[in-house]
């Protein structure tokens, strides 16, 4: 927080100084809102001392202890220093002018980013010698989840067969509505909730009437689902409405779960939202409690804030967590397939994209001419025998409301849909278009709906298991041509089936947010991809779309992030001395750039294309390979300081962020030298050189040789071309010279750089854009 290096006298002097300035007192009637006062790295190890200094600062601003107490929302005192308080704009400006304050910003809000997975990724307990068994399934690791809470009765939180709670755990279980300390056990070892900022910003919120629980208990179900994926216990014979049956477990099934509820349901708007101030407090507590991995399936939308802006609360909390050895994993967002939409872009965060599994749910559609078309659905009801098929159009009416779009079904009440299956077309990408069309058709007495839409991957059953099948535009047009050519078109709909393995292709999901990074494009985001489509996991039993055992399928980067959290937990269990950067490097450099069967990974979108680093970072996570990466690209506090200097942050802000004086070099370092397991050059004119350092974590005596796949039109030279490691040499640097033969501005082209010792292949992605014109204007 402030500079406490001398004594409490500094704080008391500040109190006297501020009390002498009456302009700090708010005018009566001014509106107070929650602001976050961020003071950087804490300067004292006693949390009570830190909190008292926060109160003293507010007291000096507001004039009385009582006003200071009423204003204070949170004191951040474990991982970093700062506080959230209700302040007027003028009060916020005054306190922001203090030299000890890094930032004062209004509170902001985030949104949620919402079986087969582990077999698909090759992480199976069936083999005696693998990462799962080598780490006892992560039993000594604690995964902290910041989300909507937890449903403690779920079977995935069973403590059967799990040993004592790890000794480094310092947290606990916080009682509240329908939740007591007895709900925690040796599996679910901690649960806390953070609602003060949410309540301060939503004064109309009625806690007694709200559907949500004012406790760690999960109403939404999202937090329970995420926790299951990361570290849920092993449960055999789980299915969802008869589909996708099998064993459900988390990535680290014996890891301990600690839930930090910071996201709350707003009944009036039917949304779940997360205050930045609540999120920061949850992360602060998680740092104190001793979590090893912190998982957040939460984000916001473009435009994004820089990392040192406290409005980017996740980045701020994550920075302090990483400095204390905690790996922070975040979802990349669900704003794809548009470029530059990826979120959680701080370089100390492990940011995750979503792919499909090798699983689909083909649903036969049989037309009256006996032609069978395979749609996609999660329909598990009875077969619907041959039934009249209709396309809702009026050939004599040019009004667009009769265009046959799914959205027009609600207003086309004069069209006869009763007793029929309806075909409609939509340009809306989300599955909500399918479920909405099903509601409209069912309300009109229809028996089923076929929705033609952009190819997509997100599926869910329609209400009451109403027959709703999705097809692409080509198949939809074929069905429409049949309807128009037949005097009495009919169709038969059969229940969906589960198809696993080849020939089902792996794809980057249409919704998964894409790079490049919109704030600092030289920092590659996302870092990695993991399955996030139709993932089966536990949920709260307040959710009605589930089977009797409390499991549901959900899609989103929310589901992909905890996959990586589970893998990170296993890596932490195996390599307790690895830093978060080393864990990230191991995951990125060993990833599959094909699917596990060697087939190409396609990125969904319009049009589909071969996936590249802006779709999936290093590729699809390969847990077994990540356990033995050979080399890692590591980072420490000095590297993060150099990064912040390179992108132009002022020295005062950096000093307070890291808790020690910082002077940036002159000239400032190049961001291209930041030791990431990737190289991204957004503005190459002619030639640039950069440096990377690799650390040997494999056999002591190792020799690695380089292999480069250069991007199109780009020349890449690596010096030296051989790296030699021994007992005296554990770290080696190398230089990369990159030049372009392009004479025009280009888009990004992609390649890779691999160090290999014939056993380990340590691969990083190369992404290069030639910008002749931009650099010309910069220089002239």
């Amino acid at each position: 927080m402030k500079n406490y290096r001398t004594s409490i006298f500094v704080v008391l002097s500040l109190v006297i100084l501020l009390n002498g300035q009456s302009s700090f007192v708010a005018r009566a009637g001014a509106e107070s809102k929650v602001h976050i006062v961020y003071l950087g790295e804490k300067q004292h190890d006693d949390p009570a001392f830190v909190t008292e200094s926060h109160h003293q600062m507010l007291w000096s601003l507001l004039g009385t202890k009582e006003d200071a107490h009423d204003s204070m929302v949170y004191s951040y005192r474990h991982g970093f220093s700062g506080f959230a308080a209700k302040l007027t704009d003028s009060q916020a400006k005054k306190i922001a002018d203090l030299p000890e304050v890094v930032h004062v910003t209004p509170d902001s809000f985030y949104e949620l980013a919402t079986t087969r997975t582990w077999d698909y990724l090759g992480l199976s307990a069936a083999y005696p010698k693998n990462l799962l068994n080598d780490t006892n399934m992560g039993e000594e690791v604690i995964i902290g989840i910041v989300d909507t809470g937890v449903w403690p009765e779920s079977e995935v939180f069973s403590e059967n067969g799990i040993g004592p709670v790890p000794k480094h755990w310092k947290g606990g279980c916080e009682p509240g509505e329908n939740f007591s300390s007895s709900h925690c056990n040796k599996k679910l070892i901690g649960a806390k909730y953070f609602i003060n900022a949410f309540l301060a910003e939503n004064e109309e919120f009625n806690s007694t009437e709200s559907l949500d629980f004012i406790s760690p208990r999960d109403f939404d179900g999202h937090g329970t689902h995420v926790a299951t994926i990361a570290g849920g216990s092993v449960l055999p014979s789980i299915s969802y409405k008869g589909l996708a049956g099998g064993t459900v477990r988390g990535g680290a099934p014996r890891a301990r779960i600690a839930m930090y509820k910071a996201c709350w349901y707003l009944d009036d708007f039917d949304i779940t939202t997360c205050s930045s101030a609540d999120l920061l407090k949850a992360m602060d507590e998680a740092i104190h409690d001793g979590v090893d991995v912190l998982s957040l399936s939460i984000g916001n939308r473009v435009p994004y804030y820089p990392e040192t802006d406290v409005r980017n609360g996740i980045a701020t909390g994550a920075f302090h967590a990483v400095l204390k050895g905690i790996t922070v994993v975040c979802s990349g967002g669900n704003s794809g397939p548009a470029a530059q939409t990826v979120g959680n872009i701080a370089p100390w965060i492990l940011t995750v994209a979503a792919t499909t599994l090798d699983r689909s749910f083909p649903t036969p559609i049989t037309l009256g001419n006996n032609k069978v078309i395979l749609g996609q659905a999660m329909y598990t009801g009875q077969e619907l025998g041959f039934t009249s098929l209709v396309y809702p159009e009026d050939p004599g009416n040019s009004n667009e409301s009769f265009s046959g779009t799914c959205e027009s079904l609600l207003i086309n009440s004069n069209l006869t849909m009763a007793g029929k299956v309806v075909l409609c077309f939509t340009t809306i990408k989300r599955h909500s278009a399918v479920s909405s069309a099903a509601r409209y058709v069912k309300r009109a007495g229809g028996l089923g709906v076929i929705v033609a839409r952009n190819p997509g991957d997100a599926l869910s059953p329609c209400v009451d298991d109403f027959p709703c099948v999705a097809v692409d535009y080509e198949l939809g047009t074929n069905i429409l041509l049949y309807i128009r050519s037949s005097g009495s078109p009919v169709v038969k709909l059969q229940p969906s089936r589960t198809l696993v393995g080849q020939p089902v292709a792996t794809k980057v999901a249409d919704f998964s947010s894409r790079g490049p990074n919109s704030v600092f494009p030289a920092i590659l985001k996302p870092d990695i991809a993991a399955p996030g489509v139709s993932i089966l996991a536990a949920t709260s039993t307040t959710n009605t779309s589930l089977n009797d055992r409390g499991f549901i399928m959900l899609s989103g980067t929310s589901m992909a992030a905890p996959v990586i959290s589970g893998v990170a937990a296993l890596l932490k269990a195996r390599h307790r001395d690895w830093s978060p950067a080393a864990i990230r490097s191991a995951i990125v450099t060993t990833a599959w750039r094909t699917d596990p069967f060697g087939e190409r990974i396609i990125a969904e979108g319009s049009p589909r294309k071969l996936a590249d680093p802006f779709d999936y970072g290093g590729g699809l996570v390969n847990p077994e390979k990540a356990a033995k990466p050979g080399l890692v690209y590591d980072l420490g506090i000095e590297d993060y300081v150099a990064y912040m200097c390179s992108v132009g942050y002022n020295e005062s802000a950096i000093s307070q962020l890291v808790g020690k004086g910082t002077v940036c070099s002159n000239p400032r370092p190049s961001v291209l030298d930041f030791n990431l397991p990737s190289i991204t050059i957004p503005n190459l004119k002619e030639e640039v050189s950069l440096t990377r350092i690799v650390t040997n974590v494999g056999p002591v005596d190792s020799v690695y040789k380089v292999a480069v796949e250069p991007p199109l039109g780009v020349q890449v030279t690596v010096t030296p071309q051989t790296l030699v490691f021994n007992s005296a040499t554990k770290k080696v640097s190398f230089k990369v010279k990159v030049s372009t033969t392009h004479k025009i501005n280009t888009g990004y082209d992609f390649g890779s750089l691999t160090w290999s010792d014939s056993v380990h292949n340590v691969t990083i992605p190369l992404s290069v854009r030639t910008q002749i014109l931009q650099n010309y204007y910069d220089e002239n």
Side-chain angles (χ1 to χ4, degrees):
M1 175 191 160
K2 302 171 173 259
N3 190 343
Y4 295 120
R5 289 189 177 88
T6 54
S7 71
I8 191 70
F9 175 76
V10 176
V11 177
L12 295 176
S13 299
L14 179 64
V15 172
I16 296 168
L17 173 66
L18 295 187
N19 276 334
Q21 300 182 23
S22 60
S23 61
F24 271 63
V25 181
R27 295 191 305 272
E31 183 182 5
S32 294
K33 296 182 179 179
V34 175
H35 288 73
I36 299 172
V37 180
Y38 177 58
L39 301 148
E41 185 70 14
K42 61 187 176 71
Q43 301 297 329
H44 201 284
D45 291 332
D46 184 352
F49 184 99
V50 176
T51 295
E52 177 60 23
S53 68
H54 297 162
H55 280 280
Q56 295 280 12
M57 179 180 283
L58 269 182
W59 177 16
S60 65
L61 176 71
L62 302 177
T64 69
K65 287 184 178 181
E66 291 74 17
D67 287 344
H69 181 271
D70 292 342
S71 173
M72 181 72 77
V73 176
Y74 287 121
S75 171
Y76 308 123
R77 58 185 191 163
H78 298 299
F80 50 94
S81 181
F83 56 89
K86 289 176 280 188
L87 303 171
T88 65
D89 290 342
S90 62
Q91 290 169 342
K93 185 179 185 307
K94 290 290 185 179
I95 207 167
D97 291 338
L98 294 173
E100 299 87 350
V101 175
V102 180
H103 287 297
V104 177
T105 56
D107 195 12
S108 56
F109 285 83
Y110 288 78
E111 59 190 29
L112 304 175
T114 195
T115 63
R116 167 73 183 158
T117 303
W118 303 109
D119 288 338
Y120 168 68
L121 296 177
L123 195 62
S124 172
Y127 305 103
K129 193 67 176 175
N130 64 8
L131 180 59
L132 265 184
N133 291 319
D134 287 351
T135 61
N136 197 21
M137 301 188 184
E139 186 164 8
E140 289 301 309
V141 177
I142 302 166
I143 303 175
I145 310 284
V146 181
D147 213 283
T148 63
V150 64
W151 197 261
E153 291 84 2
S154 175
E155 299 168 85
V156 298
F157 302 117
S158 168
E159 65 178 4
N160 291 340
I162 296 179
V165 172
K167 293 181 180 178
H168 64 282
W169 174 245
K170 294 184 287 185
C173 245
E174 183 178 5
E177 183 181 358
N178 289 359
F179 198 95
S180 69
S181 59
S182 63
H183 283 112
C184 288
N185 57 24
K186 291 184 291 185
K187 176 67 177 179
L188 179 64
I189 62 173
K192 298 179 179 180
Y193 67 101
F194 308 89
I195 194 173
N196 291 357
F198 171 83
L199 292 177
E201 296 285 2
N202 295 276
E203 294 180 356
E204 74 285 355
F205 180 80
N206 189 324
S207 60
T208 60
E209 295 182 4
S210 173
L211 294 173
D212 208 340
F213 303 95
I214 312 305
S215 74
R217 183 172 290 279
D218 188 6
F219 167 76
D220 183 283
H222 188 273
T224 302
H225 201 274
V226 165
T228 305
I229 297 168
S233 298
V234 179
L235 292 177
S237 304
I238 300 294
S239 67
Y240 181 53
K241 295 182 178 292
L243 295 172
T247 297
V248 168
R249 65 171 176 83
R254 287 186 180 168
R256 317 310 170 101
I257 299 295
M259 178 59 68
Y260 300 87
K261 181 176 179 178
C263 301
W264 300 90
Y265 179 71
L266 274 171
D267 304 68
D268 291 344
F269 300 96
D270 191 26
I271 59 171
T272 300
T273 185
C274 322
S275 156
S276 187
D278 289 333
L279 288 173
L280 267 174
K281 185 59 177 175
M283 298 175 79
D284 186 42
E285 287 294 311
I287 293 169
H288 165 268
D289 291 347
V291 303
D292 299 295
V293 177
L294 200 49
S295 187
L296 294 94
S297 291
I298 298 166
N300 48 23
R301 297 177 183 270
V302 290
Y304 297 117
Y305 299 111
E307 301 96 343
T308 59
D309 191 323
V310 78
R311 285 172 293 185
N312 191 346
I314 291 177
T316 302
F319 179 78
H320 294 284
V322 166
L323 290 189
K324 291 168 177 60
I326 301 167
T327 298
V328 181
V329 182
C330 294
S331 54
N334 298 335
S335 299
Q340 299 182 324
T341 54
V342 64
N344 289 318
I345 51 179
W348 41 82
I349 290 174
L350 216 174
T351 308
V352 188
T355 71
T356 63
L357 290 162
D358 60 337
R359 180 175 66 195
S360 67
F361 304 100
T363 307
I365 303 169
T366 306
L367 304 179
N369 58 8
N370 288 323
K371 182 176 181 179
V372 179
I373 291 173
L374 289 180
Q376 288 287 314
M378 288 185 177
Y379 173 57
T380 58
Q382 297 296 312
E383 176 181 305
L384 183 64
F386 280 107
T387 304
S388 293
L389 176 63
V390 62
Y391 176 66
E393 63 179 337
D394 184 347
N397 192 327
S398 61
N399 190 315
E400 289 187 359
S401 65
F402 292 89
S403 62
T405 65
C406 299
E407 293 70 44
S408 69
L409 296 178
L410 178 63
I411 58 176
N412 287 347
S413 56
N414 60 326
L415 296 175
T416 303
M417 292 186 279
K420 298 178 182 179
V421 174
V422 177
L423 169 71
C424 66
F425 285 71
T426 184
T427 57
I428 297 175
K429 297 177 181 179
R430 299 296 186 237
H431 185 73
S432 59
V434 179
S435 56
S436 296
R439 284 198 305 273
Y440 302 153
V441 172
K442 184 179 182 183
R443 191 179 304 160
L447 300 180
V449 64
I450 301 170
V451 176
R453 62 171 187 172
N454 255 315
D457 304 298
L459 294 173
S460 61
C462 290
V463 62
D464 297 329
D465 208 12
F466 185 77
C468 60
V469 187
V471 295
D472 63 21
Y473 291 140
E474 179 183 350
L475 295 177
T477 301
N478 288 339
I479 297 172
L480 178 58
L481 291 175
Y482 160 71
I483 293 173
R484 288 174 171 171
S485 64
S486 173
S488 301
V490 294
V491 67
K492 178 172 66 175
L493 300 179
Q494 296 174 255
S496 305
R497 305 166 186 173
T498 303
L499 180 63
V500 172
Q502 295 176 310
V504 181
T506 298
K507 296 166 286 187
V508 177
D510 176 84
F511 59 75
S512 186
S513 293
R514 307 299 211 268
N517 184 328
S518 63
V519 178
F520 295 116
I523 306 300
L524 177 65
K525 292 292 174 176
D527 294 293
I528 195 68
V533 175
S534 299
I535 305 300
L536 181 64
T539 187
S540 64
T541 57
T542 57
N543 192 318
T544 57
S545 300
L546 44 79
N547 68 5
D548 291 338
R549 292 183 68 180
F551 287 78
I552 194 172
M553 279 189 182
L554 294 176
S555 297
T557 54
S558 277
M559 285 66 248
V563 172
I564 298 300
S565 299
V567 174
L570 295 178
L571 294 179
K572 187 68 174 179
R574 181 161 182 162
H575 305 284
R576 295 297 302 189
D577 59 335
W578 278 13
S579 69
I583 289 174
R584 189 252 301 271
S585 175
I587 289 172
V588 171
T589 61
T590 59
W592 282 298
R593 289 186 290 164
T594 65
D595 73 5
F597 307 108
E599 299 289 342
R600 299 184 306 169
I601 297 177
I602 301 299
E604 284 281 24
S606 295
R608 291 177 176 175
K609 66 180 183 68
L610 190 65
D612 61 49
F614 293 157
D615 301 311
Y616 62 16
L620 176 65
V621 63
N622 185 341
E624 288 293 339
K625 289 287 187 182
K628 299 178 180 179
L631 306 175
V632 295
Y633 293 77
D634 208 354
L635 292 164
I637 188 170
E638 300 83 4
D639 302 287
Y640 295 122
V641 168
Y643 161 75
M644 286 184 277
C645 288
S646 73
V647 296
Y649 293 136
N650 69 68
E651 293 173 346
S652 174
I654 298 171
S655 297
Q656 288 169 312
L657 189 70
V658 301
K660 62 181 181 181
T662 298
V663 178
C664 295
S665 62
N666 188 15
R668 291 199 173 210
S670 168
V671 69
L672 298 181
D673 289 328
F674 189 47
N675 204 42
L676 291 172
S678 60
I679 295 173
T680 307
I681 305 174
N683 299 301
L684 179 64
K685 182 179 178 182
E686 293 175 349
E687 181 179 295
V688 69
S689 293
L690 55 96
T691 301
R692 287 291 184 273
I693 301 172
V694 286
T695 303
N696 183 22
V697 293
V700 173
D701 297 309
S702 299
V703 178
Y704 285 82
K705 295 185 180 298
V706 73
V708 176
E709 294 179 9
L712 181 67
V714 173
Q715 297 174 332
V716 180
T717 304
V718 180
T719 307
Q721 295 189 331
T722 300
L723 304 180
V724 178
F725 298 90
N726 53 45
S727 58
T729 305
K730 298 185 182 300
K731 294 187 177 184
V732 177
S733 66
F734 62 92
K735 291 190 178 296
V736 183
K737 184 171 71 174
V738 183
S739 58
T740 179
T741 59
H742 292 297
K743 302 302 180 184
I744 61 171
N745 284 10
T746 69
Y748 281 93
D749 292 297
F750 305 97
S752 64
L753 186 159
T754 301
W755 291 104
S756 178
D757 66 350
S758 75
V759 175
H760 307 93
N761 294 306
V762 188
T763 301
I764 62 173
L766 303 178
S767 310
V768 180
R769 179 176 63 182
T770 301
Q771 289 285 84
I772 304 295
L773 187 60
Q774 176 178 324
N775 286 346
Y776 172 79
Y777 282 124
D778 287 346
E779 295 172 4
N780 294 274

